[in-house]
Amino acid sequence: MATLIAVTDDSQRRAALSAADPAPGGEPQERPSWDDYFMQIARVVASRSTCLRRHVGAILVKDRHILATGYNGPPRGAAHCRELGGCYRERLGIPSGERMELSRCLHAEQNAIIQAAIHGVKLEPPVACYTTTQPCITCAKMLVNVGVQRIVFEGHYPDQLALEMLHEAGVELERYRQGNREQ
């Protein structure tokens, strides 16, 4: 028989949910915040990356629903850098965050936008992007133009211009910390 619990505030609600849904060992388990949930999914998406330098995952979210995902890698049908004997950018000595046009790969954010387009998913504001790495300037411009209003990122990327562009466009940019605000 279920027990009804009167809940008057958010902390009591979370405590009641935790008590009602114990972990496998019998201990109550608190649900992750929405930011934690989406960032965990972005990390799983990043695990599909074939990039030899860094694995990045991005997801586009609206009203707490995932619209599209993407990870960094070469265009469909093109060889992966590992298959070609190494990273093209490494061979040319190009530092991270510079000369983005000299890359065989698309970025995770670009692939998420492309996946939305391929599958007819409309990206209308407000859209949020959860990404395991701060967007570069190219991705920042694309995210602004598809209506992303909030970006939650985990890792740093050396691109100050991207940060300035996002700020100028009024995009809320938030460095992820476990337990972020979106409950």
Side-chain angles (χ1 to χ4, degrees):
M1 180 170 172
T3 303
L4 296 177
I5 303 170
V7 178
T8 58
D9 68 21
D10 197 48
S11 63
Q12 286 179 333
R13 181 188 61 77
R14 282 197 306 273
L17 287 171
S18 296
D21 187 21
E27 293 295 317
Q29 181 178 7
E30 188 168 318
R31 294 173 73 186
S33 70
W34 285 106
D35 281 354
D36 291 341
Y37 173 72
F38 290 128
M39 192 56 72
Q40 288 172 23
I41 294 170
R43 287 187 200 121
V44 170
V45 171
S47 72
R48 292 281 307 151
S49 171
T50 59
C51 181
L52 300 174
R53 280 191 170 181
R54 72 176 78 212
H55 291 200
V56 181
I59 63 173
L60 299 174
V61 175
K62 181 175 178 149
D63 299 328
R64 298 182 176 163
H65 291 93
I66 297 171
L67 302 176
T69 67
Y71 53 87
N72 56 330
R76 185 179 303 190
H80 301 288
C81 291
R82 180 173 287 126
E83 297 166 339
L84 298 174
C87 175
Y88 180 70
R89 292 171 56 80
E90 292 277 331
R91 285 198 305 267
L92 295 177
I94 301 170
S96 185
E98 297 180 17
R99 304 289 316 268
M100 299 311 304
E101 74 279 8
L102 296 177
S103 175
R104 292 183 46 80
C105 289
L106 290 129
H107 284 187
E109 301 91 337
Q110 294 167 345
N111 271 326
I113 292 167
I114 291 166
Q115 287 303 308
I118 286 171
H119 296 288
V121 176
K122 209 171 193 181
L123 298 177
E124 290 183 311
V127 174
C129 178
Y130 290 81
T131 180
T132 57
T133 302
Q134 171 200 312
C136 71
I137 184 61
T138 303
C139 292
K141 292 183 285 188
M142 293 174 73
L143 292 168
V144 167
N145 273 2
V146 298
V148 169
Q149 295 180 334
R150 179 174 185 246
I151 298 172
V152 179
F153 71 96
E154 191 165 36
H156 173 72
Y157 189 76
D159 196 332
Q160 185 61 35
L161 183 57
L163 296 175
E164 293 168 10
M165 175 72 65
L166 292 166
H167 177 75
E168 182 182 335
V171 175
E172 180 185 346
L173 189 63
E174 190 172 336
R175 183 90 185 248
Y176 173 75
R177 307 261 186 270
Q178 188 163 355
N180 264 15
R181 68 179 174 91
E182 285 288 318
Q183 297 294 323

